[in-house]
């Protein structure tokens, strides 16, 4: 084994602290320390890394080095970093780590982070880890895991400060200052009755500014935005966004306080939901990650590509109906992709706006008719403008005025159809309880292709 001084430790400084993982030689230095089992050097290199940078470091290392680095660091490794990893990488690490190492690491985590890590494990491994935890911690984690996936109960912290209304402000401050095991970060003290039913909360700023002899019941504020543990996390995130909340209490079906949600949890939810919607619009599974295997990605993308293939075959069938006209006038074959392409782009624009508005609940039954009418007018206006442009282009290119009129009329029809399809299809799918982000694309593409080809070739066959 080499001496500790033989291993180069990247110098620390502003640039290193800003983005250490990208610093030349940083990952190589870590890999070298792992290879030689140079624990002191390894700890010196990663000592000041934030949990997010520590996760990035794990992803940059070879797969075999990841669990080994965690074991070498021991209690100096912050298991919170695992919550920042791609799911595939996290599961690979957890499978290779000794169970006792995982158990010890989980004990140092806040409950919401522990649940986040546990929920992706298979049931047998999950129960084995829970069985090795102390009974109070096991019960709290199991209660959170019993709530539905993507619910507030899965996201909440079960560590909070709850005090009776007859306590004074002085007692509360002494309790906070002297009691071990309280949450690392909190924004208010909750006031509860003997059965833990929530009366309200006292923000820390009010607590600090109130005289010590005043009872908590006299300064408590009823919480207007109480979250049910079974509420969908996306709905909760919308409440945080709408009312600029920093935290919110979580209650069970009996209105008993069981946890608290904080803004850092909600930021993760917003990012995850936006990421899923964006991927779905492109035909990619919401849980697809860069670290996933070739086979998993290929399978997850197959269904979307199959739907698009079916749509393309329907469009080709429509083209085949006008085979004779295409043979008679080659210009039709040259121009028809333009009509379909413009319609496809217009439909995608409308669909993207509609899907996002449905996801954020901005598009509702109360304003749906107005939005549909607006999109129809937009489609009609753009159709007329591009119809005029294409009529001029076609006449200049082919010298056939009638052909310019035909493509202009088809352009108007297809852009109007694209606008209607782009807004009505997501609305219909949402009404049928089908995720419009996942399913709208192939249907909108089919509408614009079929209408575009049929309108252009159909009008041409009648005109000529």
């Amino acid at each position: 084994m080499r001496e500790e001084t033989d291993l180069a430790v990247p110098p620390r400084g502003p640039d290193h602290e800003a983005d250490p993982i990208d610093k030349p030689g940083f990952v190589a230095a870590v890999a070298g320390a792992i290879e030689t089992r140079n624990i002191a050097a390894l700890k010196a290199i990663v000592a000041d890394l934030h949990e997010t940078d520590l996760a990035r470091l794990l992803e940059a290392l070879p797969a075999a080095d990841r669990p080994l680095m965690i074991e070498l660091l021991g209690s100096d490794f912050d298991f919170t970093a695992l919550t920042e990893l791609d799911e595939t990488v996290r599961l690979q690490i957890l499978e290779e780590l000794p169970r006792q190492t995982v158990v010890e690491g989980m004990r140092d985590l806040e409950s919401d982070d522990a649940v986040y890590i546990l929920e992706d494990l298979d049931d047998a491994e999950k129960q084995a880890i829970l069985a090795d935890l102390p009974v109070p911690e096991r019960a709290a984690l199991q209660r959170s895991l019993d709530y539905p996936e993507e619910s507030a109960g899965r996201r909440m912290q079960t560590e909070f400060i709850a005090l009776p209304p007859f306590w004074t402000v002085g007692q509360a401050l002494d309790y906070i200052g002297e009691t071990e095991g309280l949450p690392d970060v909190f924004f208010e003290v909750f006031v509860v009755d003997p059965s833990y039913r929530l009366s309200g909360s006292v923000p820390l700023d009010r607590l600090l500014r109130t005289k010590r002899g005043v009872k908590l019941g006299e300064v408590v504020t009823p919480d207007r935005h109480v979250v049910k543990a079974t509420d969908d996390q996306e709905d909760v995130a919308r409440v945080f966004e709408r009312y600029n909340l920093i935290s919110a209490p979580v209650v069970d079906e009996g209105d008993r306080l069981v946890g608290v949600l904080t803004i850092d949890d909600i930021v993760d939810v917003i990012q995850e939901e936006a990421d899923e919607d964006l991927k779905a619009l492109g035909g990619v599974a919401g849980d697809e990650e860069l670290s996933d295997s070739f086979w998993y990605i290929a399978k997850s993308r197959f269904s979307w590509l199959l739907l698009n293939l079916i749509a393309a075959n329907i469009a080709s069938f429509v083209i085949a109906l006008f085979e004779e006209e295409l043979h008679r006038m080659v210009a039709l074959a040259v121009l028809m992709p333009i009509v379909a392409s413009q319609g496809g782009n217009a439909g995608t624009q409308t669909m993207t706006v509609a899907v996002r508005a449905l996801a954020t609940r901005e598009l509702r039954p109360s304003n749906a008719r107005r939005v549909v009418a607006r999109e129809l007018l937009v489609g009609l206006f753009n159709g007329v403008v591009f119809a005029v442009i294409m009529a001029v282009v076609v006449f200049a290119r082919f010298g056939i005025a009638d052909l310019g009129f035909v493509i202009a009329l088809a352009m108007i029809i297809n852009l109007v159809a694209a606008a209607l399809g782009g807004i009505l299809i997501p609305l219909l799918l949402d009404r049928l309880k089908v995720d419009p982000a996942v399913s709208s694309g192939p249907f909108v593409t089919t509408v614009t292709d079929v209408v575009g080809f049929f309108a252009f070739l159909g009008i041409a066959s009648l005109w000529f």
Side-chain angles (χ1 to χ4, degrees):
M1 182 181 293
R2 290 182 291 177
E3 294 294 324
E4 294 174 13
T5 54
D6 291 340
L7 188 66
V9 179
R12 304 208 170 259
D15 293 339
H16 174 80
E17 293 172 1
D19 207 352
I21 310 305
D22 294 331
K23 189 175 181 66
F26 186 88
V27 176
V30 173
I34 294 172
E35 182 182 357
T36 60
R37 307 298 195 272
N38 196 336
I39 298 176
L42 179 61
K43 290 182 177 181
I45 297 172
V46 305
D48 296 332
L49 288 184
H50 184 270
E51 62 202 41
T52 303
D53 292 324
L54 193 56
R56 291 184 60 219
L57 173 60
L58 283 169
E59 291 180 339
L61 289 170
D65 286 350
R66 294 163 182 165
L68 184 54
M69 186 186 90
I70 295 173
E71 291 189 70
L72 291 174
L73 289 175
S75 60
D76 290 329
F77 177 77
D78 184 358
F79 258 68
T80 309
L82 297 185
T83 65
E84 303 291 336
L85 292 171
D86 282 356
E87 180 183 335
T88 304
V89 176
R90 181 169 61 251
L91 290 177
Q92 176 260 325
I93 290 173
L94 291 172
E95 287 172 3
E96 297 188 24
L97 281 175
R99 183 179 300 158
Q100 195 55 40
T101 301
V102 177
V103 171
E104 291 301 320
M106 298 286 283
R107 294 191 63 179
D108 294 330
L109 292 176
E110 293 181 343
S111 58
D112 55 334
D113 291 330
V115 169
Y116 187 81
I117 292 173
L118 284 171
E119 64 183 354
D120 293 326
L121 299 174
D122 61 63
D123 288 339
E125 185 64 21
K126 187 188 306 178
Q127 293 306 319
I129 292 173
L130 287 171
D132 288 340
L133 290 171
V135 173
E137 295 176 29
R138 181 198 316 163
L141 294 178
Q142 186 63 63
R143 181 172 57 184
S144 293
L145 288 166
D146 288 339
Y147 288 113
E149 289 187 24
E150 300 190 348
S151 67
R154 285 285 184 99
R155 286 288 185 177
M156 68 183 181
Q157 279 183 231
T158 55
E159 301 91 359
F160 51 84
I161 299 176
L163 302 174
F166 53 81
W167 272 31
T168 64
V169 168
Q171 286 176 297
L173 291 174
D174 292 341
Y175 173 80
I176 293 171
E178 298 170 2
T179 306
E180 296 182 359
L182 296 180
D184 293 332
V185 178
F186 57 95
F187 303 98
E188 68 275 288
V189 171
F190 296 106
V191 179
V192 296
D193 67 14
S195 59
Y196 252 70
R197 284 186 172 84
L198 182 66
S199 300
S201 62
V202 182
L204 288 183
D205 59 337
R206 183 182 303 167
L207 192 69
L208 294 171
R209 292 170 179 167
T210 303
K211 293 182 179 180
R212 291 179 60 87
V214 177
K215 291 183 178 180
L216 295 178
E218 298 176 25
V219 292
V220 66
T221 300
D223 283 290
R224 293 180 296 172
H225 306 294
V226 178
V227 174
K228 291 285 188 181
T230 52
D231 286 349
D232 184 88
Q233 63 178 17
E234 192 172 0
D235 295 333
V236 176
R238 201 166 295 113
V239 172
F240 267 71
E241 181 183 16
R242 182 177 302 140
Y243 298 107
N244 298 319
L245 302 182
I246 297 177
S247 65
V250 183
V251 298
D252 63 12
E253 61 279 359
D255 291 328
R256 291 179 292 270
L257 183 65
V258 292
V260 59
L261 279 168
T262 54
I263 188 62
D264 60 312
D265 304 313
I266 299 304
V267 169
D268 290 339
V269 171
I270 292 172
Q271 182 178 359
E272 288 174 12
E273 297 293 343
D275 184 62
E276 286 181 8
D277 288 345
L278 182 62
K279 288 177 178 176
L281 283 172
V284 178
D287 60 351
E288 182 177 314
E289 296 172 338
L290 289 177
S291 57
D292 286 334
S293 68
F294 149 79
W295 184 238
Y296 177 82
I297 292 175
K299 288 192 298 182
S300 70
R301 296 183 186 179
F302 179 82
S303 57
W304 179 273
L305 293 174
L306 179 61
L307 284 174
N308 277 279
L309 181 63
I310 294 171
N313 275 276
I314 294 173
S316 69
F317 176 76
V318 172
I319 295 172
L321 295 176
F322 301 96
E323 187 175 358
E324 184 178 338
E325 284 74 16
L326 289 170
H327 281 299
R328 193 170 68 244
M329 185 177 288
V330 178
L332 295 178
V334 175
L335 295 173
M336 66 180 186
I338 298 175
V339 179
S341 176
Q342 281 294 99
N345 288 329
T348 299
Q349 287 177 333
T350 305
M351 178 189 70
T352 302
V353 172
V355 167
R356 188 59 188 152
L358 285 168
T360 58
R361 300 295 188 269
E362 294 177 32
L363 182 56
R364 304 179 300 276
S366 59
N367 64 353
R369 182 172 298 182
R370 178 179 59 81
V371 175
V372 170
R374 185 200 65 188
E375 292 298 329
L376 178 60
L377 288 175
V378 170
L380 180 60
F381 173 80
N382 284 334
V384 171
V385 171
F386 287 107
V388 173
I389 293 173
M390 279 308 301
V392 173
V393 171
V394 168
F395 180 73
R397 184 176 178 184
F398 298 99
I400 306 174
D402 287 359
L403 185 58
F405 174 79
V406 168
I407 195 171
L409 189 56
M411 189 74 73
I412 294 172
I413 292 172
N414 202 26
L415 262 67
V416 169
L420 288 175
I423 186 71
L424 292 179
I425 288 174
L427 281 171
L428 177 61
L429 292 172
D430 186 63
R431 179 68 63 88
L432 296 175
K433 307 300 182 185
V434 178
D435 187 354
V438 176
S439 308
S440 297
F443 292 111
V444 173
T445 300
T446 302
V447 167
T448 55
D449 284 352
V450 170
V451 172
F453 292 140
F454 194 85
F456 181 54
L457 297 176
I459 295 171
S461 65
L462 293 174
W463 194 267
F464 298 105

